[in-house]
Each structure stands twice: as C-alpha cells, then as structure tokens.
Amino acid sequence: MGAAKKPAEGAMTLAEMKEFAGFAASTQRYIRRSLDIGLDRDDAMARWSRDVVEAASIRAQARLYRALPEIRQRVPDDADLSQIEPFLTPLTTLAAFDLGQGRLISFSAFRFLYERLIGAEVRPWLPSAFCGAAALPHLHPEVRRKLLQSISEAAATASGWSNRQPVFYPKWVEKVDTGSATLSH
C-alpha cells in the first residue's frame, strides 16, 4: 500500500510546486516570509527585512501571527455557529493584514498560504475569511474589486473540500555559484 501512495504524493507535490511557481515573484517572497514567521522557521527579520518599512511590517505580522496556534486549535469541525466567532474573527483579522500588504493578490495565493499556516482543515473557512477581509474598507476599492473577483464561483460555493494536508512548504534557498563548481570524487 505504501508504494501505491508514493506516486500520488509526488504528483500532488509537483502540482503544489507548479501552483507556487505561477505566482508573481513578490507573492512567492511574501508566502515564504509568512511561512517563516507563522511556522517559526529561520529568523524572518534577518532573512526578509530589506529596510525599516519592511522590518516594521515583519514585526507587525509576527505579533498578529502569535494567534495562529489558537486559530489552529479552534478550527470548527462543522458549522456550529457558537464556534464560528472565536475562530473566524481572528482568522479574518490575519487575512485583512496579509491582504493589506498587497502581495497576496488572489484567492489562490491566499489559500495556498493559509492551508500551510493552519492546515487542510481550514479549507471550508477560507472563502469566508478571504471575502470578509477583502471587503474591508482599509483596502483601496480597486484592490477590493480585484481580490473579490479572484475567487471563483467553484471555490466560493464548493460542497466539499479535500482533507489532504499540503506537502510543499516553500522556503528560502541560497543561490549557488555554479560557474566555478568542480566535481570531486
């Protein structure tokens, strides 16, 4: 059974890598930065901060992302209305921050990031959090329009979601100088 599962995992990893590669470079950078902060990988400030404005943004993001462990624990199992507010309110707040940074310019980029920050179980809730955050007045009306138009009808009205956890978690990769590489045995 293990051998039969391997090709499917490889195909899914490749599909996730292709999806990530289809995002703009600034979106890819923001997703990697956000994963470093949200998953406590590496030193995000040292790796991603290029100036004082970006450093302030990273500090603000890190403060907001401190809510991630609680959000992960509060993902509702069903549509129990009593569970929605303590979960969806902080999730929408995080989404509003991330969308306000101007790097997640589509629902697919938002979904890609949040599936990795929180897990597959968040999928049914992502359209609500995205639409709620994308409609907030802190975004320019044209940005709101583009974001809201980026969610497909299928994504907004899906009757079910996969519970398969993502497998590709993009990270920073140092450039390697291949011009002077030599082979040694």
Side-chain angles (χ1 to χ4, degrees):
M1 183 177 226
K5 194 173 183 178
K6 293 276 186 202
E9 286 179 12
M12 293 309 298
T13 302
L14 185 57
E16 291 176 17
M17 292 171 82
K18 282 182 174 181
E19 180 180 20
F20 182 74
F23 298 141
S26 61
T27 299
Q28 291 179 14
R29 184 179 194 280
Y30 189 79
I31 288 171
R32 289 191 313 262
R33 172 187 128 173
S34 299
L35 291 173
D36 281 355
I37 295 168
L39 302 178
D40 201 24
R41 304 185 314 194
D42 301 326
D43 179 355
M45 187 66 74
R47 167 130 7 249
W48 301 107
S49 177
R50 295 179 287 197
D51 55 35
V52 294
V53 173
E54 195 162 26
S57 172
I58 290 169
R59 280 192 294 278
Q61 187 176 21
R63 272 192 310 277
L64 286 167
Y65 275 27
R66 285 186 204 135
L68 280 170
E70 187 171 338
I71 291 171
R72 288 180 193 118
Q73 289 179 336
R74 291 182 181 250
V75 177
D77 292 333
D78 56 25
D80 178 1
L81 294 178
S82 68
Q83 294 181 9
I84 292 174
E85 183 181 352
F87 165 72
L88 204 51
T89 299
L91 177 61
T92 303
T93 301
L94 287 184
F97 174 84
D98 283 331
L99 294 179
Q101 297 299 294
R103 301 293 183 235
L104 299 177
I105 57 172
S106 67
F107 177 72
S108 61
F110 170 82
R111 179 196 45 74
F112 187 92
L113 172 60
Y114 277 75
E115 285 177 352
R116 283 150 186 81
L117 286 175
I118 300 170
E121 56 279 358
V122 78
R123 286 186 182 117
W125 304 99
L126 291 179
S128 298
F130 178 81
C131 289
L136 290 173
H138 77 295
L139 298 173
H140 186 277
E142 184 62 22
V143 172
R144 289 195 313 255
R145 183 183 68 75
K146 286 180 180 176
L147 285 168
L148 291 169
Q149 287 179 342
S150 76
I151 187 167
S152 68
E153 183 179 339
T157 62
S159 59
W161 295 267
S162 168
N163 60 2
R164 185 191 62 79
Q165 293 294 335
V167 290
F168 175 64
Y169 287 75
K171 290 182 76 169
W172 174 266
V173 177
E174 295 293 336
K175 290 185 179 181
V176 176
D177 180 17
T178 59
S180 60
T182 59
L183 294 175
S184 58
H185 296 286

Short mmCIF file of all heavy atoms in Angstrom, two decimals, residues 8 17 19 38 42 49 54 89 100-101 165:
data_model
loop_
_atom_site.label_atom_id
_atom_site.label_comp_id
_atom_site.label_asym_id
_atom_site.label_seq_id
_atom_site.Cartn_x
_atom_site.Cartn_y
_atom_site.Cartn_z
N ALA A 8 1.22 9.19 -6.06
CA ALA A 8 0.18 10.21 -5.86
C ALA A 8 0.74 11.37 -5.05
O ALA A 8 0.46 12.53 -5.35
CB ALA A 8 -1.03 9.60 -5.16
N MET A 17 3.95 22.65 -6.31
CA MET A 17 5.12 23.42 -6.75
C MET A 17 4.78 24.25 -7.99
O MET A 17 5.18 25.41 -8.09
CB MET A 17 6.29 22.48 -7.03
CG MET A 17 6.84 21.82 -5.79
SD MET A 17 8.04 20.53 -6.15
CE MET A 17 9.51 21.54 -6.39
N GLU A 19 1.80 25.33 -8.84
CA GLU A 19 0.92 26.42 -8.42
C GLU A 19 1.74 27.57 -7.84
O GLU A 19 1.55 28.73 -8.19
CB GLU A 19 -0.11 25.93 -7.40
CG GLU A 19 -1.05 27.02 -6.95
CD GLU A 19 -2.08 26.57 -5.93
OE1 GLU A 19 -1.88 25.53 -5.27
OE2 GLU A 19 -3.09 27.28 -5.79
N GLY A 38 5.09 32.38 10.48
CA GLY A 38 3.99 31.61 11.02
C GLY A 38 4.35 30.22 11.50
O GLY A 38 3.69 29.67 12.38
N ASP A 42 13.50 29.73 10.73
CA ASP A 42 14.55 30.71 10.49
C ASP A 42 14.29 32.04 11.22
O ASP A 42 13.33 32.18 11.96
CB ASP A 42 14.76 30.94 8.99
CG ASP A 42 15.12 29.66 8.24
OD1 ASP A 42 15.82 28.82 8.83
OD2 ASP A 42 14.70 29.51 7.09
N SER A 49 13.97 41.28 5.90
CA SER A 49 13.91 42.72 6.07
C SER A 49 14.94 43.43 5.19
O SER A 49 16.14 43.24 5.36
CB SER A 49 14.15 43.09 7.54
OG SER A 49 14.15 44.48 7.69
N GLU A 54 9.91 47.47 5.84
CA GLU A 54 9.69 46.02 5.82
C GLU A 54 9.91 45.42 7.21
O GLU A 54 9.21 44.51 7.62
CB GLU A 54 10.58 45.35 4.78
CG GLU A 54 10.13 43.93 4.47
CD GLU A 54 10.70 43.41 3.16
OE1 GLU A 54 11.76 43.87 2.72
OE2 GLU A 54 10.06 42.51 2.58
N THR A 89 -13.19 35.34 13.54
CA THR A 89 -12.77 36.72 13.80
C THR A 89 -11.26 36.87 13.76
O THR A 89 -10.74 37.71 13.01
CB THR A 89 -13.36 37.22 15.14
OG1 THR A 89 -14.80 37.18 15.03
CG2 THR A 89 -12.91 38.64 15.44
N GLY A 100 -3.78 43.35 3.10
CA GLY A 100 -3.39 44.75 3.14
C GLY A 100 -1.93 44.98 2.78
O GLY A 100 -1.54 46.11 2.46
N GLN A 101 -1.11 43.96 2.83
CA GLN A 101 0.29 44.09 2.46
C GLN A 101 0.49 44.18 0.95
O GLN A 101 1.56 44.51 0.48
CB GLN A 101 1.11 42.92 3.03
CG GLN A 101 1.13 42.87 4.54
CD GLN A 101 1.75 44.12 5.13
OE1 GLN A 101 2.94 44.37 4.95
NE2 GLN A 101 0.95 44.91 5.81
N GLN A 165 -3.45 17.09 3.59
CA GLN A 165 -2.56 18.16 4.04
C GLN A 165 -1.62 18.57 2.90
O GLN A 165 -1.20 17.72 2.11
CB GLN A 165 -1.74 17.72 5.25
CG GLN A 165 -2.55 17.49 6.51
CD GLN A 165 -3.19 18.76 7.06
OE1 GLN A 165 -2.73 19.87 6.84
NE2 GLN A 165 -4.29 18.57 7.78
#
